[in-house]
């Protein structure tokens, strides 16, 4: 059904040659890069964080790349389901990988805890406020950009993502063709009256409500700004000999957590004021993310299920599918005999349901498929 031919590509280096073909059935063009081929974008490896991205058991072979390519080229209604494994390559921590939040002892906030406990909300929002400037400016990586281009040229009919980072949108995906199954961190809503506002606006509101927070969160004994900018301080950081209080306060970038959280250490969160709803003045404000212990809205589940069942193939990218809120769609696809392919490092809940599984880093693998 396909014709292969070797073509040079202007965006590649001088040596690699891209294998390209056109599907006679669907009139679409597909191409793969040979193993070890290097492109300008792969050399740049934008935002790639090797500490967060697990290593595959072996290099992805050309045969495996062709397997993915043939799977995509044979589909007219391809659904892509993505998870945290695609955003770790942008430096966003996940939960379940060897270097994820769970491995560092992080226990995520549950919905019931958030609603019941004012002190936990203080802790949640104080940490979220600290993490937001970095989390909100994370850039999409090759996976987001490639999948985004596939939505625009209709190679992908719909993306269902568990991620809350909005990186599919930033990566150029057609917004109407992306379902954020667990919501997103860029909006905040009132649990009482339903008022909503952009997360950036709520950030300004929290700052204005906590003018002295910078003083409250200081840990006794920390060094002055000049001392932290000294060569001696830099040497201590490099050699790992910083005093413990300095590690807690100024190495918070190493204590990043999933979903826009950061460990601030021994901080008195009782000094932090969480603003109530600006509209009804009393309601609890919560980021529009489905917390652990909270249900995905029924209408979103039904719409997503209909979308998946209309597909003629499902490609799973960067997720173990361990959470039932997303696994239910794979289960339904399997029951409907819809072909399933998987690109993910490590075990997934659907390993026994798929036509194939390739273990490789998402961006590098999909770039070879482009």
């Amino acid at each position: 059904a396909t014709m292969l031919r070797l073509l040079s590509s202007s965006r590649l280096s001088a040596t690699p040659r891209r294998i390209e073909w056109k599907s006679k059935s669907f009139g679409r063009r597909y191409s793969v890069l040979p193993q070890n081929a290097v492109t300008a974008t792969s050399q740049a490896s934008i935002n790639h964080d090797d500490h967060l991205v697990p290593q595959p058991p072996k290099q992805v072979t050309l045969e495996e790349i062709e397997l993915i390519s043939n799977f995509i080229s044979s589909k007219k209604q391809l659904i892509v389901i993505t998870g945290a494994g695609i955003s770790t390559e942008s430096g966003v921590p996940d939960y379940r990988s060897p270097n994820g939040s769970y491995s560092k002892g992080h226990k995520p906030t549950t919905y019931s805890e958030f609603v019941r406990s004012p002190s936990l909300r203080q802790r949640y929002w104080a940490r979220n406020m600290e993490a937001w400037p970095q989390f909100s400016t994370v850039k999409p990586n090759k996976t987001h950009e490639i999948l985004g281009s596939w939505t625009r040229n209709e190679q992908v009919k719909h993306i269902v993502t568990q991620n809350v980072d909005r990186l599919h949108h930033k990566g150029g995906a057609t917004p109407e063709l992306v379902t954020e199954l667990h919501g997103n961190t860029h909006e905040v809503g009132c649990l009482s009256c339903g008022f909503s506002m952009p997360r950036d606006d709520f950030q300004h509101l929290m700052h204005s409500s906590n003018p002295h927070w910078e003083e409250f969160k200081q840990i006794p004994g920390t060094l002055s700004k000049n001392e932290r900018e000294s060569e001696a301080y830099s040497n201590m950081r490099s050699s790992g000999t910083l005093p413990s209080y300095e590690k807690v306060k100024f190495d918070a970038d190493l204590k990043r957590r999933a979903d826009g959280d950061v460990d601030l250490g021994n901080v008195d969160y009782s000094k932090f004021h969480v603003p109530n709803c600006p509209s009804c003045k009393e309601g609890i404000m919560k980021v529009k993310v489905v917390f652990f212990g909270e249900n995905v809205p029924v209408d979103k589940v039904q719409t997503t299920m209909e979308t998946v069942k209309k597909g003629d193939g499902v490609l799973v990218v960067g997720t173990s599918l361990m959470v039932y809120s997303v696994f239910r769609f794979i289960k339904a696809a399997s029951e409907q005999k819809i072909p399933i392919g998987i690109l993910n490092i490590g075990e997934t809940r659907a390993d026994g349901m798929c036509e194939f599984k390739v273990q490789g880093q998402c961006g590098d693998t999909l770039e070879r498929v482009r």
Side-chain angles (χ1 to χ4, degrees), residues 242-263:
L242 278 174
S244 59
Y245 50 76
E246 283 292 311
K247 288 182 181 179
V248 170
K249 179 67 177 64
F250 298 106
D251 282 357
D253 59 315
L254 300 180
K255 296 176 178 289
R256 288 174 294 163
R257 301 291 186 252
D259 298 340
D261 185 28
V262 64
D263 185 357

Side-chain angles (χ1 to χ4, degrees), residues 342-360:
I342 298 175
L343 170 59
N344 185 68
I345 298 174
E347 180 184 1
T348 83
R349 200 170 175 177
D351 284 356
M353 302 177 179
C354 61
E355 285 193 355
F356 70 86
K357 178 182 176 182
V358 174
Q359 296 202 62

Side-chain angles (χ1 to χ4, degrees), residues 302-343:
Q302 292 175 341
T303 302
T304 304
M305 188 66 77
E306 291 170 4
T307 300
V308 171
K309 288 183 176 180
K310 289 177 183 176
D312 58 3
V314 178
L315 180 63
V316 175
V317 184
T319 172
S320 64
L321 301 169
M322 293 301 176
V323 179
Y324 185 76
S325 61
V326 69
F327 176 70
R328 72 180 104 196
F329 303 117
I330 294 296
K331 185 172 179 287
S334 178
E335 290 169 352
Q336 297 251 342
K337 309 298 183 186
I338 298 172
I340 298 166
I342 298 175
L343 170 59

Side-chain angles (χ1 to χ4, degrees), residues 83-99:
I86 73 170
S87 290
T88 54
E89 296 180 25
S90 285
V92 178
D94 64 358
Y95 282 104
R96 291 178 173 82
S97 71
N99 291 315

Side-chain angles (χ1 to χ4, degrees), residues 144-160:
H144 300 106
E145 292 167 355
I146 291 167
L147 293 178
S149 69
W150 288 356
T151 65
R152 297 194 302 274
N153 64 23
E154 298 184 349
Q155 288 174 258
V156 167
K157 197 68 176 178
H158 204 89
I159 295 173
V160 179

Side-chain angles (χ1 to χ4, degrees), residues 91-139:
V92 178
D94 64 358
Y95 282 104
R96 291 178 173 82
S97 71
N99 291 315
S101 289
Y102 284 152
S103 68
K104 298 175 182 177
H106 174 224
K107 181 177 177 290
T109 301
T110 67
Y111 179 76
S112 60
E113 290 171 337
F114 184 87
V115 173
R116 285 199 319 261
S117 173
S119 62
L120 189 140
R121 290 197 295 274
Q122 288 176 301
R123 175 181 177 272
Y124 175 88
W125 278 118
R127 290 162 61 126
N128 196 272
M129 186 178 78
E130 290 295 315
W132 180 248
Q134 181 184 39
F135 186 81
S136 63
T137 55
V138 169
K139 292 181 172 57

Side-chain angles (χ1 to χ4, degrees), residues 8-273:
S8 297
S9 177
S10 59
R11 66 183 190 85
L12 303 181
S13 58
T15 50
R17 295 172 66 82
R18 181 177 287 277
I19 302 171
E20 298 190 354
W21 71 91
K22 183 176 182 179
S23 168
K24 289 182 177 178
S25 302
F26 305 114
R28 299 174 183 163
R29 298 184 67 85
Y30 294 89
S31 63
V32 302
L33 280 175
Q35 189 173 358
N36 297 324
V38 177
T39 67
T41 53
S42 66
Q43 284 177 321
S45 191
I46 302 170
N47 298 316
H48 199 285
D49 192 326
D50 291 325
H51 175 71
L52 294 174
V53 183
Q55 294 300 309
K58 64 179 182 63
Q59 254 186 333
V60 178
T61 65
L62 181 58
E63 289 74 20
E64 288 175 315
I65 296 296
E66 290 174 340
L67 196 62
I68 299 173
S69 299
N70 289 333
F71 183 80
I72 296 170
S73 67
S74 65
K75 307 293 180 283
K76 287 184 176 180
Q77 302 285 329
L78 181 64
I79 308 299
V80 176
I81 295 180
T82 68
I86 73 170
S87 290
T88 54
E89 296 180 25
S90 285
V92 178
D94 64 358
Y95 282 104
R96 291 178 173 82
S97 71
N99 291 315
S101 289
Y102 284 152
S103 68
K104 298 175 182 177
H106 174 224
K107 181 177 177 290
T109 301
T110 67
Y111 179 76
S112 60
E113 290 171 337
F114 184 87
V115 173
R116 285 199 319 261
S117 173
S119 62
L120 189 140
R121 290 197 295 274
Q122 288 176 301
R123 175 181 177 272
Y124 175 88
W125 278 118
R127 290 162 61 126
N128 196 272
M129 186 178 78
E130 290 295 315
W132 180 248
Q134 181 184 39
F135 186 81
S136 63
T137 55
V138 169
K139 292 181 172 57
N141 60 56
K142 290 181 288 190
T143 304
H144 300 106
E145 292 167 355
I146 291 167
L147 293 178
S149 69
W150 288 356
T151 65
R152 297 194 302 274
N153 64 23
E154 298 184 349
Q155 288 174 258
V156 167
K157 197 68 176 178
H158 204 89
I159 295 173
V160 179
T161 185
Q162 301 164 80
N163 299 339
V164 298
D165 49 36
R166 273 282 158 99
L167 291 181
H168 278 301
H169 293 70
K170 292 182 180 180
T174 306
E176 307 83 59
L177 301 183
V178 178
T179 294
E180 295 173 312
L181 191 63
H182 297 151
N184 73 83
T185 56
H186 289 247
E187 297 174 85
V188 181
C190 175
L191 296 181
S192 297
C193 72
F195 171 80
S196 64
M197 64 191 299
R199 176 63 182 78
D200 282 334
D201 291 352
F202 195 65
Q203 181 81 353
H204 296 315
L205 184 57
M206 285 192 292
H207 274 297
S208 62
S209 300
N210 294 275
H212 304 296
W213 175 244
E214 290 298 319
E215 300 171 18
F216 291 145
K217 74 177 184 182
Q218 294 299 321
I219 297 173
T222 51
L223 303 177
S224 67
K225 182 175 182 295
N226 288 338
E227 287 173 319
R228 292 197 304 275
E229 292 176 349
S230 69
E231 183 178 351
Y233 180 84
S234 178
N235 291 338
M236 283 192 292
R237 286 196 65 149
S238 300
S239 62
T241 58
L242 278 174
S244 59
Y245 50 76
E246 283 292 311
K247 288 182 181 179
V248 170
K249 179 67 177 64
F250 298 106
D251 282 357
D253 59 315
L254 300 180
K255 296 176 178 289
R256 288 174 294 163
R257 301 291 186 252
D259 298 340
D261 185 28
V262 64
D263 185 357
L264 295 179
N266 188 26
V267 171
D268 182 5
Y269 295 109
S270 68
K271 305 290 186 181
F272 189 83
H273 174 68

